[in-house]
Amino acid sequence: MTGTSLKFTSRQIPAVLLALLLVVSLLAPVLPLQDPLLMDTAARFAAPSGAHLFGQDEFGRDILVRLIFAIRNSLIVAFAAAILAGVIGTALGVMAGYSRGLTEMLAMRFIDIVLCFPPLLLAMLAVTLYGPGPVTLIPVLAIVFVPSFTRVAHASVLSVRSQDYVEAVRSMGASNARVMFSTILPNIAGPLIVQFSFTVAVTVVLESGLSFLGLGVLPPAPSLGLMIGTGRATLAQAPMLLVWPCAALTAMILILNAFCDDLRDRLDPKSSKIRGQ
Amino acid sequence: MFWFLRRGIASLVMLWVIVTLVFMSIHFVPGDPVELLLSQDGGSADPATVQMIREDLGLNRPIVEQYVEKLKGLASFDLGRSMVDDSSVSAEIARRLPRTLELIGLAALISLVIGIPAGIYAALHTGRTFDRVASYLAGFAQGIPVFVLGTLLILVFSQMLKLTSAGGFVAFSQAPGKHMGLLLMPSLSIGIGLAAIVFRITRASTLEVLPLDYVRTARAKGLGDRRIVLHHILRNALIPVITIFALQIGSLLGGTVLVEYVFNWPGLSGMLVSGVNARDYPTVTGVILVISALFIGLNFLVDVLYGLTDPRVRK
């Protein structure tokens, strides 16, 4: 029994890689790494060496260290935005699905309006109004993803709200808030967790796009999108300056996507039935 | 007919909501929007300039009056004037919009031309080499962001192989061949990711249709494979493809913004990005309104297409 559950399968690869990314990102500040902002103008575009495994960039900063911190920033922004969107979106969706009537109408129309905008444009409109920077970036990304959480939560609540166990708690005199958040919420957690993982993956893409345009993470902070954007200028003399962040970003997104697919198959029995597994 | 009319009205309502929201967005900013727009370089803004811009944007008038004025302007396609060089926002958009549209058009075409035949072929030969390789490639293509793909295409095809220039624009009327050549790489950057999605959906929906009775009937009638695929499978397998395509329109437009920027394609995005950087409010809202209108228009088009391929949804 324990033997089989401990066996390592190929399905676990994305989860293991993601865990590795998260651990390295979390520990980055305490690991014995160079300062990602430390410049060494004498060693501009230096080739890889023992001290700098991936070489140095246009200011002589260590590329590997900057990549690690860029991944860290990207994950911090993505998780923060996804948590913010998840909390607001879920609360809205649960209240809408549970109370029906006017609350439901207002909440669902509100998210329909947000969904009218292509995500990147909504983010750009917000950046125009509030200015770029870390303080605006997270709320801006969160707004974009509130609607998907609301939809998922709303649909799930509708399917469980009239079940016997909800009725039982309500008939025992529990308050609405208690029914909504301690009875219903745990029972609709599955699809919401899947949605959360998708949101993190999509936010990583959106944030890198914004940063690439110079509207997300601001220099000198390391960000993969920003590194790709600035790497374009030195394409001819230092192509690796462009290749590394492109590879890191793509790898990170592929890992997140694979993890999301796997999570969905596990937590959402309907979708795995469709796939015939 | 009634169904199409109802969808049309719903689209117009959505457009009105967007106009209203974009109009109100400047009033959502805490504090004085103009001062905020001007004070980006640190120091506080000159009161005279603030007053001037307030008058230019009409922000000193009652809000209802501003709103009516805005709607009137939109009815005559007037999106205001740029805060940077006082040029007409509508005229600039009219000049750039066709370039964005041809980019979207070619990208969509590429994705369908690659995705649908590959999807059907893979579904008819599940588990074979083509199916396995294509599925892996699709997973990869779906993960790679459009601007990364575009940047890498430039690195390989113009920097290393010296096959094309790294981007730019030539008017179609001046040099049609060069124009299409420059259009190809940006369209591919968007089209490949989209093709991966079209491939996956076509494959999945073909697999769903294959074991159905009417396909077996067609086969029993002695119809050739070609006819079965084209007339019996394709039509039914395409419906989910259209649905997914509609869902992707938003990211298609977002992708266009990034890709135009990567390839220096002078469509709407260059205008939008420089507008956001300069915090040129009329330019940004103008471009966003036009792209959102495009978003709604394309969605409406997909709805109509959907209604035509599957008469059941019209009920």
Side-chain angles (χ1 to χ4, degrees):
Chain A
M1 177 89 189
T2 44
T4 50
S5 66
L6 281 176
K7 218 165 82 185
F8 184 78
T9 68
S10 66
R11 281 187 78 183
Q12 291 163 327
I13 292 176
V16 172
L17 290 175
L18 182 63
L20 195 71
L21 274 185
L22 288 175
V23 168
V24 172
S25 301
L26 274 177
L27 296 182
V30 295
L31 290 176
L33 296 170
Q34 203 190 318
D35 178 358
L37 303 182
L38 183 75
M39 299 192 197
D40 178 6
T41 39
R44 298 177 73 225
F45 302 114
S49 61
H52 307 282
L53 286 178
F54 285 14
Q56 284 157 282
D57 70 1
E58 74 273 27
F59 295 113
R61 296 173 297 198
D62 186 291
I63 294 175
L64 180 60
V65 172
R66 282 185 70 76
L67 282 177
I68 291 172
F69 276 87
I71 290 174
R72 172 184 154 87
N73 282 348
S74 178
L75 287 173
I76 290 176
V77 169
F79 271 89
I83 289 171
L84 195 58
V87 170
I88 298 172
T90 305
L92 218 56
V94 170
M95 284 192 291
Y98 186 72
S99 10
R100 314 298 304 262
L102 188 66
T103 321
E104 183 179 36
M105 212 269 289
L106 288 177
M108 298 320 279
R109 285 298 83 79
F110 165 73
I111 65 155
D112 280 346
I113 292 169
V114 178
L115 284 173
C116 281
F117 291 94
L120 186 70
L121 292 188
L122 186 62
M124 287 175 89
L125 178 63
V127 172
T128 315
L129 293 169
Y130 297 98
V135 189
T136 47
L137 187 58
I138 292 167
V140 160
L141 293 169
I143 297 171
V144 176
F145 297 109
V146 164
S148 40
F149 280 102
T150 307
R151 285 213 161 159
V152 172
H154 178 246
S156 315
V157 169
L158 288 188
S159 70
V160 301
R161 70 187 299 270
S162 51
Q163 303 236 331
D164 289 343
Y165 63 86
V166 177
E167 207 52 55
V169 177
R170 200 169 7 202
S171 64
M172 286 191 305
S175 68
N176 281 338
R178 197 186 151 94
V179 176
M180 277 190 275
F181 294 104
S182 64
T183 309
I184 291 182
L185 194 57
N187 282 290
I188 59 168
L192 287 171
I193 292 171
V194 173
Q195 184 58 42
F196 180 80
S197 70
F198 275 109
T199 305
V200 170
V202 180
T203 312
V204 167
V205 180
L206 189 59
E207 177 270 320
S208 66
L210 275 179
S211 301
F212 174 74
L213 293 173
L215 305 173
V217 175
L218 293 176
S223 141
L224 294 172
L226 203 58
M227 285 168 88
I228 296 170
T230 50
R232 274 156 36 92
T234 52
L235 183 68
Q237 35 181 329
M240 289 317 280
L241 226 55
L242 197 61
V243 172
W244 284 125
C246 282
L249 180 59
T250 308
M252 181 157 79
I253 292 165
L254 289 177
I255 291 171
L256 282 169
N257 283 353
F259 178 76
C260 290
D261 283 347
D262 188 41
L263 197 66
R264 186 191 49 199
D265 290 350
R266 281 162 200 264
L267 293 181
D268 194 351
K270 237 185 296 168
S271 73
S272 52
K273 231 178 263 159
I274 291 167
R275 294 163 134 235
Q277 327 263 307
Chain B
M1 200 56 228
F2 180 67
W3 181 82
F4 291 117
L5 197 70
R6 221 176 49 201
R7 296 301 312 160
I9 293 173
S11 301
L12 285 177
V13 170
M14 246 163 83
L15 192 61
W16 169 73
V17 168
I18 286 198
V19 168
T20 308
L21 201 76
V22 169
F23 165 78
M24 286 186 335
S25 66
I26 199 168
H27 301 285
F28 286 153
V29 180
D32 185 294
V34 177
E35 266 177 52
L36 200 77
L37 293 179
L38 287 175
S39 64
Q40 52 183 313
D41 299 324
S44 62
D46 171 30
T49 325
V50 171
Q51 195 50 39
M52 205 180 74
I53 292 181
R54 288 180 71 86
E55 262 164 44
D56 271 1
L57 290 176
L59 285 172
N60 50 346
R61 281 177 292 163
I63 190 158
V64 179
E65 200 183 314
Q66 290 177 42
Y67 182 56
V68 172
E69 201 63 26
K70 175 98 184 170
L71 288 183
K72 268 194 207 156
L74 283 176
S76 56
F77 296 104
D78 179 12
L79 293 167
R81 306 201 146 265
S82 160
M83 279 165 70
V84 175
D85 55 7
D86 203 40
S87 58
S88 160
V89 172
S90 315
E92 185 66 13
I93 288 178
R95 212 157 59 82
R96 288 167 174 262
L97 182 61
R99 302 169 188 162
T100 297
L101 287 180
E102 64 180 328
L103 188 57
I104 295 176
L106 189 58
L109 190 69
I110 289 174
S111 70
L112 295 176
V113 167
I114 300 176
I116 292 179
I120 291 177
Y121 188 84
L124 294 177
H125 305 88
T126 38
R128 307 279 271 280
T129 317
F130 177 83
D131 180 33
R132 290 220 304 273
V133 172
S135 296
Y136 271 113
L137 282 179
F140 187 74
Q142 239 183 308
I144 185 165
V146 281
F147 67 96
V148 172
L149 186 57
T151 309
L152 292 177
L153 283 179
I154 291 180
L155 183 68
V156 173
F157 289 102
S158 56
Q159 188 63 38
M160 287 159 66
L161 301 175
K162 312 266 185 234
L163 283 177
T164 64
S165 55
F169 177 79
V170 180
F172 186 77
S173 52
Q174 280 170 15
K178 186 116 196 277
H179 176 87
M180 294 315 284
L182 286 170
L183 184 61
L184 189 64
M185 277 217 296
S187 310
L188 270 177
S189 313
I190 307 173
I192 287 176
L194 208 54
I197 296 167
V198 173
F199 166 80
R200 285 193 156 178
I201 304 302
T202 310
R203 182 182 176 278
S205 61
T206 306
L207 280 178
E208 237 163 75
V209 170
L210 274 180
L212 294 186
D213 287 345
Y214 60 81
V215 176
R216 200 173 46 186
T217 309
R219 199 152 273 155
K221 277 198 301 188
L223 294 181
D225 277 351
R226 194 186 161 80
R227 198 175 160 80
I228 293 175
V229 168
L230 289 180
H231 291 260
H232 296 265
I233 296 175
L234 193 59
R235 186 171 171 137
N236 287 288
L238 276 188
I239 294 165
V241 176
I242 297 173
T243 315
I244 297 294
F245 215 78
L247 289 174
Q248 292 301 319
I249 289 175
S251 57
L252 181 66
L253 290 170
T256 317
V257 170
L258 287 163
V259 163
E260 284 183 7
Y261 183 81
V262 170
F263 289 95
N264 279 321
W265 186 260
L268 289 179
S269 89
M271 191 176 166
L272 182 61
V273 174
S274 60
V276 174
N277 272 324
R279 302 185 84 177
D280 182 355
Y281 184 71
T283 299
V284 174
T285 51
V287 176
I288 286 180
L289 281 182
V290 169
I291 299 185
S292 300
L294 210 63
F295 185 45
I296 293 172
L298 285 172
N299 267 313
F300 175 64
L301 204 70
V302 167
D303 265 354
V304 170
L305 223 73
Y306 204 35
L308 289 178
T309 35
D310 187 358
R312 283 168 297 184
V313 299
R314 270 183 264 167
K315 292 219 180 82

